[in-house]
Amino acid sequence: MLQTPSGGAGNGAAATGTGLMSIGAVLNVLREEFPEVTISKIRFLETEGLIEPQRTPSGYRKFSAGDVERLGHVLRMQRDHYLPLKVIREHLAAMERGEAVQLPALSRPGDGEAAREPAADGPTAARVGRAQLLAAAGVDEAELTEWESYGLLAPVEGGMYDAEAVTVAGLITELGRFGIEPRHLRAMKAAADREAGLVDQVVAPLRRHRNPQTRAHAEARTKELAALTAGLHAALVRSALGVRLP
């Protein structure tokens, strides 16, 4: 059974007299569990066929409680299992057919061969094996090898991949649907490496500090700077393309 985001379809003014909700009301409900979700994200998931809200004669979207529940399930699969949209779509279709669906699990410290000692200044990130990455991304060995040849993905310690590799693989797959090949993405990888280097340069003094609390603060500062640089990058791309999104 799908889990409804905490807040539910009947959250105050969220629902109309018909029991349907506007996209803004849906956003308010989802943000209780997914604070980073945006209207653009909801619209994107609709264009990808993951939800099909009703439309008024004027063209406005109206979401049912089932739509909100489905959205929550999609966002949860992305957040908790790092699944690309292609795999999420297949899972939803299987569930609609009444089939039992088992989501791929990520290996975390303490789970057999993936166990790692936590670093002194922060928690150890989740790790996935090569077979897990292939299954989660829905690609074959040849495709993954090609991505690695262009530097888009690379295993880390012990031949494992960090959890973000699943997200990267999913996005590469989605871009491929539009004819954007891995070789075209080398410039993006180079830009990302430069941005990461800039963030590392800023937080390096914190990581080297003798005070453990200061070193721990470096992790939070890294995440904050990563979000800012990613946001700036997205805004610059939209500006260059002349695209305006809410």
Side-chain angles (χ1 to χ4, degrees), residues 121 195-196 198-207 213-229:
D121 57 353
E195 292 168 9
L198 179 61
V199 172
D200 282 337
Q201 185 177 356
V202 173
V203 300
L206 297 177
R207 289 176 174 158
Q213 291 183 338
T214 302
R215 294 200 302 271
H217 181 62
E219 179 71 17
R221 181 60 58 85
T222 299
K223 291 180 180 179
E224 182 180 4
L225 288 171
L228 289 171
T229 55

Side-chain angles (χ1 to χ4, degrees), residues 148-223:
E148 290 177 328
S149 72
Y150 290 117
L152 300 175
L153 286 169
V156 291
E157 183 182 0
M160 305 291 285
Y161 297 80
D162 61 37
E164 199 65 32
V166 180
T167 301
V168 171
L171 291 171
I172 294 172
T173 301
E174 294 296 322
L175 287 169
R177 294 175 51 234
F178 296 91
I180 299 178
E181 300 177 12
R183 59 188 176 88
H184 300 143
L185 303 177
R186 287 180 293 183
M188 290 187 182
K189 179 60 167 64
D193 288 341
R194 288 194 295 269
E195 292 168 9
L198 179 61
V199 172
D200 282 337
Q201 185 177 356
V202 173
V203 300
L206 297 177
R207 289 176 174 158
R208 294 195 299 264
H209 203 279
R210 295 178 61 183
N211 189 323
Q213 291 183 338
T214 302
R215 294 200 302 271
H217 181 62
E219 179 71 17
R221 181 60 58 85
T222 299
K223 291 180 180 179

Side-chain angles (χ1 to χ4, degrees), residues 18-188:
T18 62
L20 299 177
M21 307 167 67
S22 68
I23 193 169
V26 171
L27 182 66
N28 290 334
V29 172
L30 291 173
R31 275 185 169 167
E32 294 187 22
E33 183 178 351
F34 310 99
E36 296 182 357
V37 71
T38 63
I39 286 179
S40 298
K41 174 75 169 182
I42 297 173
R43 288 174 176 166
F44 172 71
L45 293 176
E46 179 188 359
T47 62
E48 290 296 313
L50 293 167
I51 53 168
E52 296 182 10
Q54 300 179 35
R55 293 274 186 164
T56 67
S58 301
Y60 290 102
R61 298 170 177 83
K62 291 297 179 181
F63 297 78
S64 67
D67 292 328
V68 179
E69 184 178 11
R70 186 180 178 93
L71 271 170
H73 191 58
V74 170
L75 294 171
R76 208 169 287 113
M77 284 196 284
Q78 288 186 308
R79 181 195 65 192
D80 299 342
H81 298 275
Y82 307 95
L83 297 181
L85 296 184
K86 174 184 176 182
V87 178
I88 291 176
R89 196 178 293 113
E90 293 171 352
H91 277 289
L92 291 173
M95 295 176 70
E96 289 173 351
R97 294 192 298 267
E99 300 175 7
V101 176
Q102 183 175 359
L103 296 174
L106 294 178
S107 297
R108 296 183 180 274
D111 292 343
E113 63 179 2
R116 296 286 186 274
E117 288 296 323
D121 57 353
T124 301
R127 295 284 187 263
V128 295
R130 193 174 185 85
Q132 287 178 299
L133 179 58
L134 290 170
V139 298
D140 57 29
E141 182 72 35
E143 288 176 286
L144 180 55
T145 300
E146 180 186 14
W147 297 349
E148 290 177 328
S149 72
Y150 290 117
L152 300 175
L153 286 169
V156 291
E157 183 182 0
M160 305 291 285
Y161 297 80
D162 61 37
E164 199 65 32
V166 180
T167 301
V168 171
L171 291 171
I172 294 172
T173 301
E174 294 296 322
L175 287 169
R177 294 175 51 234
F178 296 91
I180 299 178
E181 300 177 12
R183 59 188 176 88
H184 300 143
L185 303 177
R186 287 180 293 183
M188 290 187 182

